[in-house]
Amino acid sequence: MLVTLFPFFLMISTSFKIKGEFFTRPPIFIPNRFNFDAYRAALRSGGQKALIDSFIIAFVSMCIALILGTMGAYGLRELLKKGKNYGFWMLIIEMMPPIAVVLPLFILFKYIHLLDTYPALILGNTVFVLPFAIWLLLGFLEDIPIPIEEAALIDGCSKFQVFSHIILPLLRSGLIPVAFFSFILPRNEFLMALVFSRTKVTPLTVVIPSLVMSDTVAWEQVAGLSVMAIIPPVIVAMVFQRYIIRGLTFGAAKG
């Protein structure tokens, strides 16, 4: 825990320091005076737009992953009942490195004039988030007894009614960890953000490295913007900790 949390402590401490306190001997771990200028400077240097852009990209990618992921997982489960196992293809897409498809996607987005737009980053991230969401939700679906669906079908429900009125309410606890990870993964993605963005769309993962300039490094702004970037996910993770841990230990393992 000390090894893991110390860099976060150092980052928070650096965000409150003033110039001259970054590289001192002995090092200053707790500033003499808490200075919030780094946060204001980081927001003025493009941090505010970066926070908004990253939220939009991650939130829309999460929504698409949840909508298509639930339907995809339910469809795969129906195929599993018939003895057709296509889950292996989900794993292949999940294991594929993003750098393998960045160039083809770049050419495609350039051809259809989507570079430096929200749709380019949303679609690019969804390609890799969706298989993860399907695979995780499939584990939760396998925990739902099949006789419940069969009883609903006997009562006259259609497949869509079974999915919307039976499966989704029972799947509610599984949607929380899937939503969390489907939001975090696009928000932390760097390669596609670097390749597909220019000036109109500037995610956090591109803006923070831009503060490392050729002649100097704005350490306090890097630390301040990083702190603002990690606070929301940490709060959400603490609130929904029980569901997130269940999604990692149960859904993924059983899938």
Side-chain angles (χ1 to χ4, degrees):
M1 288 293 293
L2 289 175
V3 173
T4 303
L5 295 179
F6 179 75
F8 293 97
F9 166 76
L10 191 61
M11 177 180 65
I12 296 172
S13 174
T14 303
S15 68
F16 293 108
K17 292 178 181 179
I18 60 175
K19 291 184 178 180
E21 294 182 339
F22 302 139
F23 305 103
T24 59
R25 293 187 180 181
I28 300 174
F29 293 110
I30 300 178
N32 297 324
R33 182 174 62 89
F34 288 93
N35 180 32
F36 291 90
D37 292 342
Y39 292 90
R40 290 189 285 266
L43 291 175
R44 289 195 299 266
S45 300
Q48 183 176 0
K49 187 177 186 304
L51 289 169
I52 296 173
D53 287 350
S54 293
F55 175 80
I56 293 173
I57 294 168
F59 182 76
V60 178
S61 299
M62 177 195 72
C63 293
I64 296 175
L66 284 178
I67 295 172
L68 298 182
T70 51
M71 293 188 292
Y74 184 67
L76 276 179
R77 192 194 182 202
E78 292 298 306
L79 291 174
L80 286 173
K81 292 179 185 177
K82 301 176 181 179
K84 300 177 181 179
N85 188 2
Y86 292 101
F88 176 72
W89 299 105
M90 294 294 102
L91 281 180
I92 288 180
I93 300 174
E94 184 64 27
M95 292 186 294
M96 183 185 300
I99 196 170
V101 297
V102 162
L103 180 59
L105 287 177
F106 176 84
I107 296 173
L108 174 63
F109 291 153
K110 183 178 180 181
Y111 181 77
I112 59 179
H113 306 289
L114 280 183
L115 285 180
D116 202 17
T117 62
Y118 291 119
L121 289 166
I122 291 170
L123 291 174
N125 282 293
T126 303
V127 168
F128 291 93
V129 173
L130 185 57
F132 175 79
I134 293 175
W135 188 256
L136 196 59
L137 284 168
L138 189 59
F140 284 96
L141 279 171
E142 290 179 353
D143 190 42
I144 299 176
I146 295 178
I148 296 179
E149 301 177 49
E150 294 175 345
L153 292 172
I154 293 173
D155 289 340
C157 292
S158 63
K159 278 288 184 180
F160 181 78
Q161 289 175 327
V162 171
F163 173 74
S164 58
H165 297 297
I166 306 296
I167 299 299
L168 284 182
L170 295 175
L171 203 61
R172 190 176 304 166
S173 61
L175 293 177
I176 294 176
V178 173
F180 178 78
F181 289 110
S182 298
F183 181 86
I184 292 298
L185 293 176
R187 197 169 185 266
N188 295 342
E189 210 284 326
F190 172 72
L191 182 61
M192 291 188 183
L194 179 66
V195 175
F196 298 153
S197 65
R198 294 294 182 270
T199 56
K200 296 179 181 178
V201 180
T202 53
L204 276 168
T205 50
V206 174
V207 172
I208 292 178
S210 70
L211 298 174
V212 181
M213 292 160 278
S214 58
D215 55 343
T216 183
V217 179
W219 293 109
E220 71 282 7
Q221 294 186 37
V222 171
L225 190 55
S226 299
V227 170
M228 289 186 285
I230 67 172
I231 286 178
V234 169
I235 294 175
V236 174
M238 293 175 64
V239 173
F240 297 104
Q241 179 182 3
R242 180 165 60 93
Y243 298 101
I244 294 171
I245 293 176
R246 184 174 184 268
L248 283 175
T249 57
F250 175 79
K254 194 167 183 178

